[in-house]
């Protein structure tokens, strides 16, 4: 118990150093921390994994310390500002939005605790708040988060992103639009969830290989291997599906396929920019 | 599945979800674009290098001042030659993107720097250039610096890995592991200091631990006080030294303090100071006490109490008192090499595979500690006076080259084998190129092992002439070259020829051109038989260089042209540029050079343009052009070109490289010819002298040559007395080092003669001049161009002795030579015409002087654009004197006025000449019977000449003139008599002024009786 006590003290000191203007009694923080430790004997190890300064701020704000609430407000305002352009919201809506987020974070409602109490201290507070802010902004936009089947949103966009880089592919796509779209959709649908997400992260979210690697906790060379595999599957799937659909003579079909293959190849490479390819 | 909650989302991004739950989230993301976008944003924020371990207060605190939202540059956008890949960091100093350098075919980190105020971009650029000079295995390499759309950017090595902060946080490390990483970071920091920079913000977040185990310092020299930063220091408070915290200037010792804070923290998991007071660590057992004791010295609040340098701190930290002292020697010797090798050792320690090891092994026996010791012994045994300095300087260069080589090799390998950014084919080409460089290094080390005094004298130059390693990373140029033969026996033959060529090159650069000539020819013949044009081109190029050094210019030209042809056939563009640059440089002063120079220059430029950015070649070509224009006497253009060469050389090589010194010398020479910028000229030459002395000490022929040229510069500016000691020292050194019959000795004799003449020591002058002519005449044909100026000088000396007929004979011979060698409209001819005219005036034949003087003036006027107008002053003065002697004072007055106006418009008016012109202006006014107006010019002339210690008869002319003006205008008679008396004394000492002596005496006799 002595060791744990000492560690709690150290965590409190770390918090106090990080937030000099924030007032939080040591005992209150210790209780807050203790409530977030798993039951059982590994208290000390679990404590080491927690983000003490972040929890310190959350605890103080939840307890009503004005300096902590100001800091929290500043952080939320900054995160919300990042959301505005994405959702097409106006700057004047920021204050209102901020108020709603802070209410949600700090005020308990009948039947549920203040949201801030749910912050477990395992990830960065900033990231945690970002999730809250995004959700709130989406609610505001009345974009109810709903599940959609992938076909509705992504196919056109993936295809668009691929062909925007290449006028020739664009032309081909126009010529055999229906066939191409169906074939590509078939191939895309045959991928598994992770493969589709990888491609979307790359195409829509514009994450780098490193960032995708960080997300899946693998080295970027692994990501690059995955993507190469996705690329190959997508390409062969599209061609196979297209071959069955094109109502043209065999020779013409062959030449169209060859053309599509080479163009799609180029587009994918361009998209996978920093993949294991080498521009000449 | 519904959308995951905040904690779950975060746990997914941070990899804390169990596999089954993570799969569920993935399934959800496949169907929920909003959540997927959110996850992507979080992943972006947690980009590598940001440090994700236990929270650092500085890192957690929200950066509310940062207004920017998403990345300013989108993926795929092109910025100059770079394609943006990702935003990888954002901080007080600016944004960092991963980018692809399309020209050099590699991934780079591109940092855009925030400007801190108006006019700051120039300073940022300067500092970025300084950063680019830091070359060390433990410092992130800066590739390029520039200005894009008004924003300063730095492109640098893209390092895969994590920050030291993250590395420390990832797991608890042993103190040995922590120290090992910090020793490497410290070596990088020391290199930053050696480049004259201060990091200002050293902390674990600014040190990268690469995926392959390398440790690199980054962001050096960039931190600066941000606007509104209360501490006003730009650093990170927790690591800041007290003096920096107080807003004082940060220096290397402030960095040392930060380093010690960081290492202490790395060892103990907590910082050493709280509220300025030292706090003993909670768990002192994590590191040995002796290590803490040594860190404490670096943590002293008073900078003077810390270690004198980071190097000394590092050796203190590396010295484990509990172990045998053997490690110390290893830690201190060949630091660069050791670190390059240490990469592999460290990688093993970190438990990562290192597929690209082996660079250090390849250097064993080529350039290692044993070799260095043997070379040192050879240098010291050569008896060369400059041996100790030469060894130290050469060793610095070779150690650096070896370390760079190891790094380039590892980097080239990793680009393919570890990062997969590069094809096997390109890896092969780069490795071949690096093997060739290693052959060069080996050849040079072997030459050094057998060094004699002559080799020692040029050792640093030879070391600095090793081919650039950067060239081995230039994909386009490597690919362009005709590939080596595929047959194993021909490959072996090629390797053998290459290694022989490397020995030839090393020998030539080390001054053994004569000895390696035959071997150079043999290699060329062998190359032709093998039929591999890139090699033939290189062999031809070096043969041409050797022939040129041996004073065989015609053969050098023919061989050089052939080499350029082979370079084209072998698609070896870098060599094409070199070959043409060599031809330009040696195109010579004559008419032939004027015709051929521009053609070769154009071809060299075209080659350079085809090659893309090759900074070393740019410097080479600019310098060659400058030298050629200098030879053509186009001094203004030469100065422009050489200024550009200087700026580029400073960027590429830095201020202490011999190549930069060479450019400084060329530039100073051109400025000297242009005239009127003496201070700058001398400053440049002194800077070059310092570089040379650092490399070789004082007893070196090039040092002597530079001393002589400083002496000449003073003489040209009319400050003969200041120039004399330089020339005397130079002559002594040159006679000792080069032998008394050397042409450089002749040139110094000439210059010293001229100085002595100016100082009135006419017999000594004549002796030096005659000696110079004797030395030269014994070596060259009678109509050689170099004899023109030599005879000219002798003529001037004779003239001062009053031996006018002999003087005129020398001028006439000089004129004949000049007309033939330089062409009848050349500036050389103008010089001789001017002297001839003046000689005729002095011999009392002013009417015959008018024609040559008018012709001289016309020739100079035609060349004003190239030379500047200062050259017009003397012809005006000479014409004035002729006209005055002809009894046409009004016309003479106009010429004197023009001469004066010209010198007074010069940026640094040549005071001595101006005084002489003032004197003649006064004399013309006296002749026009306007003595009152003559007073002021005479007074000024006397004042200036007395203060300058001018040529005494010239001062006497002014004094006598002032005496007459005073007397004629009813001024102070006693003073007039005194001045005339002083003039009489002076004239009496100069035989040539006998007529003037008589005139003063006559005047004194008349004046004595009153008028």
């Amino acid at each position: 118990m002595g060791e744990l006590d000492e560690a709690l003290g150290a965590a409190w000191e770390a918090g106090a150093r990080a937030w000099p203007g924030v007032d939080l009694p040591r005992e209150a923080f210790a209780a807050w921390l203790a409530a977030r430790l798993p039951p059982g004997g590994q208290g000390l190890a679990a404590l080491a994994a927690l983000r003490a300064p972040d929890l310190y701020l959350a605890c103080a704000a939840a307890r009503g310390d004005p300096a902590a609430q100001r800091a929290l407000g500043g952080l939320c305002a900054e995160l919300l500002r990042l959301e505005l352009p994405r959702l097409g919201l106006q700057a004047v809506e920021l204050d209102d939005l901020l108020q709603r987020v802070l209410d949600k974070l700090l005020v308990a409602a009948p039947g549920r605790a203040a949201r801030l109490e749910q912050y477990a201290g395992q990830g960065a507070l900033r990231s945690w708040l970002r999730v809250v802010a995004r959700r709130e902004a989406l609610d505001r936009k009345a974009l109810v988060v709903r599940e959609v089947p992938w076909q509705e949103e992504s196919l056109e966009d993936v295809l668009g992103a691929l062909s925007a880089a290449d006028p020739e592919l664009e032309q081909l796509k126009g010529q055999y639009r229906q066939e191409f779209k169906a074939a590509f959709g078939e191939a895309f649908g045959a991928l598994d969830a992770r493969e589709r997400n990888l491609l979307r992260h790359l195409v829509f979210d514009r994450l780098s290989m490193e960032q995708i690697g960080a997300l899946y906790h693998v080295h970027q060379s692994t990501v690059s291997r995955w993507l190469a595999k996705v690329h190959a599957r997508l390409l062969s799937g599209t061609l196979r599906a297209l071959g069955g659909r094109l109502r043209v003579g065999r020779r013409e079909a062959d030449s169209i396929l060859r053309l599509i293959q080479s163009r799609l190849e180029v587009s994918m490479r361009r998209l996978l920019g920093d993949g294991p390819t080498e521009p000449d | 599945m519904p959308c995951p909650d905040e904690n779950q989302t975060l746990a997914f991004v941070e990899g804390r979800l169990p596999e089954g739950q993570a799969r569920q989230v993935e399934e959800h993301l496949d169907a929920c674009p909003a959540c997927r976008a959110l996850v992507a944003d979080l992943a972006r924020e947690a980009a590598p290098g940001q440090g994700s371990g236990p929270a650092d207060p500085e890192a957690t605190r929200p950066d509310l001042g940062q207004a920017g939202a998403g990345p300013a540059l989108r993926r795929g956008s092109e910025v100059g030659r770079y394609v943006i890949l990702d935003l990888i960091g954002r901080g007080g100093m600016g944004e960092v993107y991963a980018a692809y350098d399309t020209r050099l075919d590699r991934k780079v980190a591109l940092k855009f720097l925030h400007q801190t105020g108006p006019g700051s971009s120039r300073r940022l650029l300067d500092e970025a250039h300084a950063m680019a000079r830091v070359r060390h295995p433990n410092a992130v390499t800066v590739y390029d610096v520039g200005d894009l759309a008004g924003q300063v950017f730095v492109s640098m090595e893209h390092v895969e890995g994590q920050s030291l902060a993250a590395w420390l946080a990832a797991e608890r490390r042993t103190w040995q592991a922590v120290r090992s990483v910090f020793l490497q970071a410290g070596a990088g920091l020391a290199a930053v200091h050696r480049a004259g920079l201060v990091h200002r913000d050293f902390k674990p977040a600014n040190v990268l631990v690469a995926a392959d185990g390398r440790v690199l310092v980054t962001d050096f020299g960039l931190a600066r006080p941000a606007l509104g930063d209360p501490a006003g220091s730009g650093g990170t408070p927790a690591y800041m030294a007290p003096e920096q915290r107080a807003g004082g200037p940060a220096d290397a010792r402030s960095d040392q303090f930060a380093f010690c804070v960081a290492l202490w923290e790395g060892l103990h998991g907590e910082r050493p100071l709280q509220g300025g007071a030292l706090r003993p660590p909670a768990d002192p057992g994590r590191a040995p006490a002796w290590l803490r004791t040594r860190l404490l010295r670096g943590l002293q609040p008073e900078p003077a109490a810390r270690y004198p340098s980071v190097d000394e701190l590092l050796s203190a930290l590396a010295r484990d008192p509990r172990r045998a002292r053997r490690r110390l020697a290893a830690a201190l010797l060949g630091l660069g090499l050791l670190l390059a090798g240490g990469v592999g050792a460290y990688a093993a320690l970190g438990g990562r595979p290192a597929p690209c090891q082996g660079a250090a092994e390849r250097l064993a026996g080529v350039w290692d500690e044993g070799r260095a010791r043997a070379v040192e012994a050879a240098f010291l045994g050569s008896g060369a006076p400059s041996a100790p300095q030469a060894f130290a300087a050469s060793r610095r260069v070779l150690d650096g080259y070896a370390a760079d080589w190891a790094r380039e090799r590892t980097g080239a390998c990793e680009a393919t084998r570890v990062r997969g950014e590069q094809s096997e084919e390109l890896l092969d080409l780069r490795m071949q190129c690096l093997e060739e460089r290693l052959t060069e290094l080996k050849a040079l080390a072997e030459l050094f092992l057998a060094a004699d005094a002559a080799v020692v004298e040029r050792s640093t130059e030879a070391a600095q002439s090793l081919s650039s390693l950067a060239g081995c990373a230039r994909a386009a140029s490597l690919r362009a070259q005709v590939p080596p033969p595929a047959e194993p026996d021909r490959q072996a033959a090629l390797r053998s020829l290459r290694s022989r060529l490397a020995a030839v090159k090393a020998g030539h650069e080390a001054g053994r051109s004569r000895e390696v000539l035959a071997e150079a020819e043999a290699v060329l013949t062998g190359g032709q038989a093998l039929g591999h044009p890139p090699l033939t081109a290189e062999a031809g190029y070096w043969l041409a260089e050797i022939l040129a050094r041996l004073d065989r210019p015609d053969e050098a030209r023919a061989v050089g042209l052939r080499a350029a042809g082979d370079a084209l056939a072998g698609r070896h563009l870098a060599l094409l540029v070199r070959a043409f640059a060599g031809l330009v440089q040696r195109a010579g002063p004559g008419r032939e050079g004027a015709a051929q120079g521009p053609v070769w220059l154009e071809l060299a430029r075209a080659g350079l343009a085809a090659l893309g950015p090759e900074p070393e070649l740019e410097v080479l070509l600019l310098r060659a052009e400058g030298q050629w224009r200098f030879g053509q006497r186009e001094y203004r253009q030469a100065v422009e070109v050489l200024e550009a060469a200087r700026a580029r050389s400073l960027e590429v090589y830095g201020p202490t490289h011999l190549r930069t010194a060479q450019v400084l010398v060329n530039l100073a020479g051109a400025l000297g010819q242009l005239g009127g910028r003496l201070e700058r000229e001398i400053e440049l030459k002194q800077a070059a002298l310092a570089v040379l002395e650092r490399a070789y000490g004082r007893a070196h022929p090039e040092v002597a040559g530079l001393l002589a040229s400083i002496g000449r510069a003073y003489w040209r500016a009319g400050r003969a007395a200041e120039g004399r000691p330089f020339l005397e020292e130079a002559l002594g050194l040159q006679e000792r080092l080069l032998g008394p019959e050397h042409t450089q000795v002749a040139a110094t004799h000439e210059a010293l003669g001229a100085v002595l003449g100016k100082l009135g020591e006419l017999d000594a002058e004549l002796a030096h001049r005659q000696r110079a002519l004797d030395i030269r005449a014994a070596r060259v044909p009678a109509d050689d161009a170099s004899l023109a100026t030599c005879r000219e000088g002798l003529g001037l000396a004779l003239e001062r002795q009053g031996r006018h007929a002999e003087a005129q004979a020398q001028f006439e011979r000089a004129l004949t030579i000049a007309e033939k060698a330089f062409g009848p409209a050349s500036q050389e001819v103008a010089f001789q015409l001017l002297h001839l005219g003046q000689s005729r005036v002095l011999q009392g034949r002013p009417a015959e002087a008018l024609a040559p003087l008018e012709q001289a003036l016309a020739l100079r006027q035609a060349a004003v654009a190239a030379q500047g107008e200062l050259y017009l002053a003397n012809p005006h003065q000479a014409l004035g004197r002729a006209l005055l002697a002809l009894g046409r004072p009004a016309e003479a007055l106009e010429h004197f006025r023009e001469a004066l106006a010209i010198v007074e418009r010069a940026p640094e008016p040549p005071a001595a000449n101006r005084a002489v012109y003032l004197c003649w202006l006064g004399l013309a006014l006296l002749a026009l019977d306007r003595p009152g107006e003559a007073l002021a010019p005479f007074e000024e002339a006397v004042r200036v000449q007395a203060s300058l210690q001018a040529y005494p008869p010239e001062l006497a002319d002014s004094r006598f003139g002032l005496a007459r003006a005073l007397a004629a205008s009813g001024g102070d008679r006693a003073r007039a008599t005194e001045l005339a008396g002083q003039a009489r004394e002076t004239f009496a000492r100069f035989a040539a002024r006998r007529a003037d002596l008589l005139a003063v005496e006559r005047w004194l006799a008349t004046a004595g009786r009153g008028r």
Side-chain angles (χ1 to χ4, degrees), chain A residues 70-135:
Chain A
R70 266 199 306 281
L72 191 73
L75 196 48
C76 290
E78 185 204 348
L79 294 170
L80 285 169
R81 247 195 299 272
L82 297 179
E83 301 299 333
L84 295 181
R86 168 191 308 278
L87 300 173
L89 295 173
Q90 300 300 309
V92 292
E93 293 175 87
L94 181 68
D95 277 350
D96 182 36
L97 208 48
L98 178 61
Q99 199 47 55
R100 287 175 48 172
V101 169
L102 287 177
D103 279 353
K104 187 168 266 181
L105 286 172
L106 297 171
V107 181
R112 70 169 171 85
R115 183 66 71 88
L116 203 51
E117 297 207 14
Q118 291 176 11
Y119 172 58
Q122 288 182 323
L125 178 62
R126 181 187 165 88
S127 303
W128 188 87
L129 287 172
R130 179 130 201 209
V131 183
V132 177
R134 168 72 60 86
R135 296 255 158 87

Side-chain angles (χ1 to χ4, degrees), chain B residues 459-723:
Chain B
S459 55
T460 310
E461 204 174 332
Q464 291 189 340
S465 298
L466 286 169
S467 301
S468 143
L469 291 167
C472 288
R474 292 185 182 134
S477 108
L478 291 178
R479 285 204 176 105
Q481 271 187 42
V482 168
E487 306 85 345
D489 56 325
R490 293 183 69 215
Q491 274 184 6
L494 178 61
R495 265 197 303 278
S496 143
L497 284 170
R498 280 221 174 275
S499 131
R500 287 167 65 192
L501 182 60
V504 165
K505 184 193 166 208
H508 166 68
E509 298 282 13
R512 283 194 167 166
S513 310
R514 198 173 301 285
E515 291 85 340
V516 297
L517 174 63
E519 176 70 354
E521 286 166 341
V523 173
L524 179 57
T525 313
Q528 284 161 344
L530 183 67
H532 181 52
L535 175 81
T536 322
E538 280 180 34
Y541 171 76
W542 287 109
L543 180 58
E545 292 288 311
I546 289 165
L547 288 166
R549 172 90 51 86
L550 295 176
D551 256 350
R552 289 160 65 173
D554 295 339
E555 291 156 86
R557 186 173 311 130
V559 173
L561 262 177
R562 179 90 197 270
D566 284 336
L568 197 57
R571 298 198 293 278
H572 191 343
L573 283 179
L575 199 96
L576 183 85
V577 175
R578 283 179 165 274
F580 279 124
L583 288 165
V584 169
Q585 181 179 18
R586 296 188 290 271
R591 270 179 287 185
E592 220 174 296
Q596 291 168 338
V599 180
W600 292 332
L601 186 59
E602 227 20 78
L603 289 167
R605 282 185 185 146
L608 198 54
L611 206 50
E614 288 274 354
E616 288 100 352
L617 288 181
E618 276 172 44
V619 175
L620 183 83
L621 186 56
L622 283 168
R623 177 166 175 242
E625 183 186 351
Q627 285 176 290
W628 169 65
R629 293 203 183 278
F630 184 90
Q632 292 292 319
R633 293 183 179 249
E634 296 174 7
Y635 300 125
R636 194 177 294 281
Q637 290 98 317
V639 165
E640 262 173 44
V641 173
L642 289 167
E643 283 284 8
R646 172 180 163 272
R648 206 78 183 95
S649 187
L650 280 175
E651 282 172 27
V652 177
Y653 299 111
T656 59
H657 197 288
L658 286 173
R659 286 199 201 281
T660 304
Q662 288 167 347
V663 175
L664 293 181
V665 169
N666 295 145
L667 174 58
L671 279 168
Q673 293 296 322
L674 203 53
R677 291 181 213 267
L678 176 73
E679 297 304 335
R680 172 131 169 84
E681 181 189 350
I682 298 223
E683 182 192 314
L684 288 167
K685 285 184 174 165
Q686 296 277 21
L689 188 65
V691 177
L692 279 174
E693 252 196 282
R694 182 168 180 263
Y696 295 119
R698 197 88 167 168
H700 189 274
E702 291 206 23
V703 171
L706 208 45
L707 285 169
S709 94
I710 292 175
R712 275 195 287 270
Y714 276 120
W715 169 73
R716 269 197 314 274
R719 289 155 64 175
E722 289 164 84

